[in-house]
Amino acid sequence: MILIILFLSLSIYSASAQNDCPVQYTCNNTMFNESEVENYCKEHDSLMNGRCCISNTTIIGVDLRFCGVTQLNITQPVFSQVEILDLRDNEYEKLTPEELVNLLELNYLYLPQHIPCPGGHSAWNITNKDHNMTSCFNQLNPCESLNISCGEPDNAKCHHLGPGTAKCICNPEHFGYKCLNDGEFPVTIFTSSVIGPTIVLSIALWFIQGRDAYRSINI
């Protein structure tokens, strides 16, 4: 009876941990030991829950070592506040900046030794490489580090999207090429100009194809 209760308790805890730390990987926990994420968690008076470091209800760290990661997939909003991420001990070939989009708070990234910091020196204040890992510290805003110009400041603004990733976005009341057009995008006119010719062309093709089919039957 005691064993059954213990098993149920562990099952409930496991399900709870999975909900609080929704990591979509099958990880080898037998090789999981004290990590950079766990140390960071202790320093910030937070708790490890599965592979996640959680501060109150916010995930601030994720340890994905020994998780068979070949492509990073932590784009869920629940991971948007992650400050430290450990991807070592995986068969990772390359990490692209696109895989880190929306991780604006990420300031400590640990990678396998052969993988460079995504975005390079323009994305991180400090990049280190030693015998067993690559370390990327203190994320930079590429809008500032690369001095990205989006044209006229009143028309568009550079937005930091993640390590080594930025995008020029039109300010309100501007649209089009380099956001040079004033006002709002003419959705009605654009839609009419596309749908109208499409309908006319479809009708014309229907008559042409229908007539050819009729002739072939009579022949």
Side-chain angles (χ1 to χ4, degrees), residues 9-214:
S9 299
L10 289 173
S11 299
I12 293 172
Y13 173 79
S14 177
S16 175
Q18 190 173 21
N19 291 333
D20 292 337
C21 181
V23 173
Q24 304 296 319
Y25 300 100
T26 302
C27 301
N28 185 347
N29 292 323
T30 60
M31 303 182 70
F32 182 69
N33 49 26
E34 188 172 351
S35 68
E36 299 290 344
V37 175
E38 186 173 359
N39 292 334
Y40 184 88
C41 210
K42 292 177 180 178
E43 292 172 0
H44 289 75
D45 296 324
S46 302
L47 297 174
M48 288 296 295
N49 189 336
R51 290 302 187 110
C52 295
C53 171
I54 300 179
S55 175
N56 295 323
T57 58
T58 302
I59 297 176
I60 63 171
V62 182
D63 190 332
L64 293 179
R65 292 176 302 141
F66 305 106
C67 288
V69 179
T70 56
Q71 184 174 5
L72 188 62
N73 181 21
I74 56 170
T75 57
Q76 303 97 312
V78 70
F79 294 114
S80 63
Q81 300 299 311
V82 166
E83 301 170 9
I84 179 171
L85 174 63
D86 196 339
L87 289 170
R88 292 174 296 160
D89 301 306
N90 287 294
E91 296 180 2
Y92 227 108
E93 295 183 2
K94 183 180 180 182
L95 179 65
T96 63
E98 288 74 18
E99 295 174 75
L100 300 174
V101 167
N102 295 328
L103 299 184
L104 300 178
E105 304 299 324
L106 183 62
N107 283 308
Y108 301 90
L109 176 63
Y110 299 95
L111 301 169
Q113 193 271 343
H114 65 279
I115 299 180
C117 293
H121 295 289
S122 62
W124 306 92
N125 188 38
I126 301 174
T127 59
N128 293 326
K129 189 181 291 286
D130 59 25
H131 66 283
N132 66 351
M133 69 176 175
T134 298
S135 305
C136 319
F137 298 142
N138 301 332
Q139 182 181 167
L140 299 175
N141 184 342
C143 296
E144 299 172 357
S145 62
L146 295 177
N147 194 26
I148 297 175
S149 174
C150 294
E152 294 295 330
D154 292 337
N155 296 355
K157 183 179 180 181
C158 180
H159 287 259
H160 179 200
L161 302 180
T165 306
K167 182 179 181 181
C168 289
I169 299 178
C170 295
N171 291 331
E173 305 300 327
H174 291 85
F175 68 94
Y177 176 69
K178 291 188 176 181
C179 306
L180 294 176
N181 297 324
D182 295 332
E184 296 182 356
F185 183 76
V187 177
T188 303
I189 297 175
F190 176 78
T191 304
S192 301
S193 65
V194 172
I195 294 178
T198 302
I199 294 175
V200 172
L201 181 61
S202 299
I203 294 174
L205 290 174
W206 184 83
F207 275 109
I208 294 172
Q209 292 177 350
R211 185 175 59 183
D212 290 343
Y214 178 74

